[in-house]
Amino acid sequence: MLSSETNFSKPMNKHTLLVVDDANENLELLRFLLSNSGFNVFTALSANEAKMVLSKDEVDCILLDVNMPVQDGFSFCKELRAMEKYKLLPILFLTSLEREVAFEEAMKNGGDDFINKPFNKKELIAKIKSVTRIKDLQDELFREKAKYEKEMRTAGRVQAQLIPEKNFTWNGIKAETLFQPLFQVGGDFVDAWSDNKKLHIVIADCSGHGPSAALIGAMFKMQLFNLPISFTLLERVKHIRKNLEIVLPEDYSITFCYAILDEELKLTYINGGHPSPILIEDGKPVFLEGMSSMIIGVDLHPRDEVRERQLKKGSKLLFYTDGASEAMDADLNMISEEGMKGIFQTALNSGENILLAVKDQIFKHCKTLSPEDDIAMVCISL
C-alpha cells in the first residue's frame, strides 16, 4: 500500500517523511500524528514499497519499522547506507526493543536514532525535528559546496587562459611551459615570450593555494605585462616588486625567477628566493647561482642581484617551483633541489617530451601520493 497527503508539494519549511511499517494501523496512526504536526507523509508497508517511493520522490527522513517480513528494517537501512544518495539521510527505527538495546542496534545498523512503540507524540516530533534540522544544515552545506566548486571550475578555466601552457621556437631555441595547480586554481605563475630580439622566462610562486593565491598570481601577470619594453631586467624586477609589495597581504610572499636570453645566448637573470634553475651543459647538471629576496609585504630594502651566464648551443635549462622539489612519498622522502637534477637528466634521456617526462618522474617518486603543492615548470632547449 502506498499513500500520501493529497498535496505533494513541499514548502520550504515543510519536511517530507517516509514511514515504513508492515502494520497498517501503525501507518495510519503515524500519518495522522505527523500530518497534523505539519509534515508531508508517504507510507509503505514493506521495504519494496519504500524503494518504489524513494525511486520517485525525495524525502527528508525515514521512520523504519525493525520487524518486517521479507526484509527487516536493519537490513533495509544497511542497503540504503550503501548508496551515496542515502548515506546521510536521517533514519529513525521504530522498535519495541528495550531502550539500551534499541539504541545499540540502531547505531550498529546505520540508524540515527530510534522511537519506541507505543509512540510518545512529543518524543516522536522532537526526534524528527532534531534530525531534519541537521539535514537542512547538511543540505545547505552541499548547496554551498556545489556553488563553490562551480565557481572554482570557472576560475580554473579563466586561469588556464591567463597562464596557457606554451611550446614554441624562438631563434632556434625551444621553449616549453607546464602548469599544474593543486586544486582547480593555483598560486604559481609561469610564462615565456619573445620581444625585441630577446627571450623572456618568468616563473613565480605565491605562498598558499587556491583562489587567494591565484588572484595574487593574476596581479603578478598584470604587473609583468604592463612593463615598458625599454626597461632593463633590473628595472623590471624593481617595478614589479615595488607595486606588488604595496598590495601584498603581510602573510603572503612571492618567490620568482626572471631571466632574459639574448640572441648571443647570454642569459641575464634575477632569482628572488626561488629554487635555483638547473642548467645541463656538456651533459653535466649545475645550479644557476645567485639569490635575491622574495617579494614580501614587509619593507626589507632588498638588493636585487643581477647574474649573467654565457650559455652554449645544445644546453638545456629547467626552471621550476618548489611544488616539484618538495614533493614527497609516503615515507616523507622529499625529492629536493638536488634530486631535481637527476630527474631533469633522466627526462632528457627518455626521448619523450621533457616537461611531461619530468612530471612523470615526480609522480613516480610520490608513488601512491600526489604532490601537495602547485607545480609550474619551464624548459629551454638551446
Side-chain angles (χ1 to χ4, degrees), residues 37-90:
S37 297
F39 295 102
N40 286 323
V41 183
F42 290 98
T43 60
L45 280 167
S46 66
N48 280 336
E49 286 191 0
K51 292 173 190 176
M52 293 174 63
V53 174
L54 293 173
S55 69
K56 298 183 296 181
D57 297 285
E58 298 288 332
V59 301
D60 299 300
C61 177
I62 298 178
L63 277 64
L64 181 58
D65 184 29
V66 170
N67 296 311
M68 295 188 297
V70 185
Q71 185 175 15
D72 65 35
F74 291 149
S75 170
F76 183 41
C77 182
K78 288 179 178 178
E79 182 180 341
L80 290 176
R81 292 302 190 215
M83 305 179 201
E84 189 65 33
K85 182 178 181 180
Y86 301 117
K87 283 186 182 296
L88 297 177
L89 179 68

Side-chain angles (χ1 to χ4, degrees), residues 139-352:
D139 289 347
E140 180 63 25
L141 284 174
F142 282 126
R143 283 191 292 270
E144 290 299 317
K145 181 174 180 284
K147 180 181 176 182
Y148 174 77
E149 289 175 346
K150 181 180 179 182
E151 290 174 350
M152 287 289 284
R153 288 192 295 270
T154 301
R157 290 193 291 270
V158 171
Q159 188 172 51
Q161 296 297 317
L162 287 172
I163 312 177
E165 293 188 353
K166 292 185 175 181
N167 188 331
F168 67 93
T169 300
W170 169 81
N171 200 34
I173 296 167
K174 186 176 181 181
E176 302 169 78
T177 70
L178 181 147
F179 175 51
Q180 179 174 306
L182 177 63
F183 304 117
Q184 287 98 331
V185 293
D188 286 1
F189 174 84
V190 61
D191 204 356
W193 72 96
S194 61
D195 72 42
N196 201 25
K197 299 185 179 180
K198 292 180 179 178
L199 178 66
H200 294 251
I201 306 120
V202 179
I203 191 164
D205 183 2
C206 175
S207 57
H209 317 290
S212 56
L215 285 171
I216 293 171
M219 289 165 54
F220 184 92
K221 177 168 184 174
M222 181 177 67
Q223 293 297 324
L224 184 66
F225 284 88
N226 282 334
L227 294 169
I229 294 177
S230 60
F231 269 21
T232 64
L233 174 61
L234 183 59
E235 288 171 330
R236 287 169 172 266
V237 169
K238 284 186 173 180
H239 185 85
I240 293 171
R241 184 188 290 281
K242 177 183 175 183
N243 288 343
L244 285 179
E245 286 181 348
I246 293 171
V247 297
L248 199 64
E250 61 182 34
D251 54 341
Y252 280 81
S253 61
I254 303 172
T255 67
F256 69 94
C257 188
Y258 193 151
I260 297 177
L261 183 67
D262 66 19
E263 292 179 307
E264 284 72 46
L265 304 187
K266 184 177 76 173
L267 184 75
T268 306
Y269 63 93
I270 294 176
N271 186 344
H274 205 73
S276 300
I278 300 170
L279 169 66
I280 293 186
E281 201 167 63
D282 300 325
K284 181 181 178 182
V286 296
F287 291 123
L288 293 184
E289 298 178 349
M291 190 67 68
S292 301
S293 299
M294 68 181 77
I295 298 172
I296 189 167
V298 178
D299 188 7
L300 297 177
H301 303 289
R303 179 177 176 272
D304 290 310
E305 184 180 19
V306 181
R307 289 293 188 114
E308 292 183 356
R309 176 136 186 171
Q310 184 62 46
L311 304 182
K312 299 178 182 178
K313 199 68 179 172
S315 300
K316 310 282 186 184
L317 266 173
L318 177 68
F319 299 79
Y320 59 92
T321 54
D322 61 12
S325 57
E326 294 179 0
M328 293 186 291
D329 63 16
D331 297 320
L332 304 183
N333 296 310
M334 188 183 296
I335 289 178
S336 78
E337 291 187 33
E338 193 65 38
M340 287 299 296
K341 283 183 179 179
I343 283 180
F344 188 26
Q345 202 154 32
T346 300
L348 290 180
N349 297 332
S350 69
E352 303 172 6

Side-chain angles (χ1 to χ4, degrees), residues 119-149:
F119 310 117
N120 178 296
K121 181 179 178 181
K122 287 185 178 179
E123 180 185 20
L124 173 71
I125 301 303
K127 287 192 174 184
I128 293 173
K129 286 184 175 180
S130 176
V131 294
T132 53
R133 188 183 304 116
I134 293 171
K135 182 180 184 295
D136 289 343
L137 292 172
Q138 290 171 339
D139 289 347
E140 180 63 25
L141 284 174
F142 282 126
R143 283 191 292 270
E144 290 299 317
K145 181 174 180 284
K147 180 181 176 182
Y148 174 77
E149 289 175 346

